[in-house]
Amino acid sequence: KRVFDITISLFLLIFFLPLFLLVSILIFITDRKCVFVKEPFRYGLAGKEFRMFKFRTMIYDAHRELLENPKYAKLKEKWERNGNKLRVDEDIRVTWIGKILRRTDIDELPQLMNVLIGQMSLIGPRPTYRLEMDNHLKKYPKDKRYLKNIFKVRPGITGIWQVSGRNDIPLHQRLPMEENYAKNINFISDLKIFLKTPKIVLTREGAYG
């Protein structure tokens, strides 16, 4: 699995290098700020937090702005009611280039760097973050039992959740699904998920926004 991760991620990073450079320039000239998302950090192997590389699709420090800036109080309420999700067309923090990146999933490509350095895998559970999980466990405290096995494997760029419905599947249903994946991980199932992913990306099945 690790050899597969290194080989494919290195190939894709080289292949997409021109696109990376173009997107980085467009993001930077939009507001002269950092190209990658700053927060939130994500849970990885053994539950350790790490910075997941994603192209920034929103205003600078958007996550902190949502949580702390009174300007976004109503947006925060909607975000919390909807399971920490907002559609692209209703989130005023999303930039013009961000809308394009979100609707093509190009913003996710920098995670190939996380794969290459060993923080993520190509295939695995979708990485969650502290506030998301804290809010979820207040409502579903018993779901904590799933995390032990989920944290035994590296989180993935894609995985069983993404090819089974994506955002149509809430976290309460997603966690047991990903725990089952973690307990029964094998190369054949990973390969099937990997081959299904391009269709999901192109058709936007289960995409939110």
Side-chain angles (χ1 to χ4, degrees):
K1 183 177 176 68
R2 183 65 188 138
V3 171
F4 181 77
D5 282 344
I6 292 172
T7 303
I8 300 300
S9 63
L10 185 58
F11 170 78
L12 291 176
L13 280 169
I14 294 171
F15 180 80
F16 285 119
L17 183 58
L19 179 62
F20 274 44
L21 293 174
L22 175 61
V23 171
S24 297
I25 291 170
L26 292 174
I27 294 172
F28 183 75
I29 64 175
T30 299
D31 56 14
R32 300 296 193 275
K33 299 290 185 180
C34 182
V35 168
F36 298 113
V37 174
K38 182 179 178 182
E39 293 182 311
F41 278 48
R42 307 284 177 145
Y43 287 123
L45 192 63
K48 295 181 179 178
E49 291 179 292
F50 70 100
R51 183 181 181 185
M52 187 175 79
F53 293 114
K54 288 184 69 174
F55 281 126
R56 183 168 59 86
T57 60
M58 299 185 184
I59 60 171
Y60 181 71
D61 216 3
H63 186 66
R64 190 172 298 276
E65 287 287 313
L66 181 69
L67 298 180
E68 300 178 1
N69 192 335
K71 173 183 176 181
Y72 300 108
K74 289 184 178 180
L75 195 67
K76 180 184 176 184
E77 290 177 9
K78 193 170 188 178
W79 175 74
E80 290 175 338
R81 285 198 310 268
N82 204 40
N84 299 347
K85 295 192 295 289
L86 289 167
R87 296 183 66 88
V88 172
D89 56 6
E90 66 186 0
D91 194 337
I92 58 175
R93 299 169 301 156
V94 180
T95 62
W96 70 271
I97 182 63
K99 291 178 182 179
I100 298 172
L101 299 179
R102 289 280 194 90
R103 287 169 176 156
T104 56
D105 281 335
I106 291 174
D107 61 315
E108 305 281 354
L109 288 178
Q111 291 164 46
L112 291 167
M113 294 187 288
N114 293 112
V115 175
L116 190 61
I117 62 181
Q119 294 172 320
M120 293 180 67
S121 175
L122 290 170
I123 317 297
R126 178 67 179 170
T128 55
Y129 56 92
R130 185 180 296 272
L131 181 60
E132 175 187 29
M133 190 54 63
D134 287 349
N135 288 341
H136 178 77
L137 292 179
K138 287 176 184 177
K139 188 175 181 180
Y140 300 103
K142 292 184 179 179
D143 281 3
K144 188 175 182 179
R145 67 186 186 274
Y146 299 124
L147 300 181
K148 181 180 179 181
N149 286 313
I150 289 174
F151 288 160
K152 286 182 179 179
V153 299
R154 291 181 177 88
I157 296 179
T158 186
I160 189 64
W161 173 71
Q162 286 91 334
V163 301
S164 301
R166 211 170 177 180
N167 285 297
D168 292 335
I169 302 174
L171 189 56
H172 182 53
Q173 296 175 21
R174 172 182 138 196
L175 291 176
M177 178 187 296
E178 294 186 325
E179 187 208 29
N180 183 63
Y181 164 84
K183 289 168 66 176
N184 299 283
I185 193 167
N186 65 80
F187 181 74
I188 298 300
S189 64
D190 274 10
L191 187 59
K192 288 179 180 178
I193 291 170
F194 182 76
L195 294 175
K196 285 181 181 179
T197 298
K199 179 192 172 187
I200 300 299
V201 172
L202 292 173
T203 60
R204 305 293 292 152
E205 291 180 28
Y208 199 80

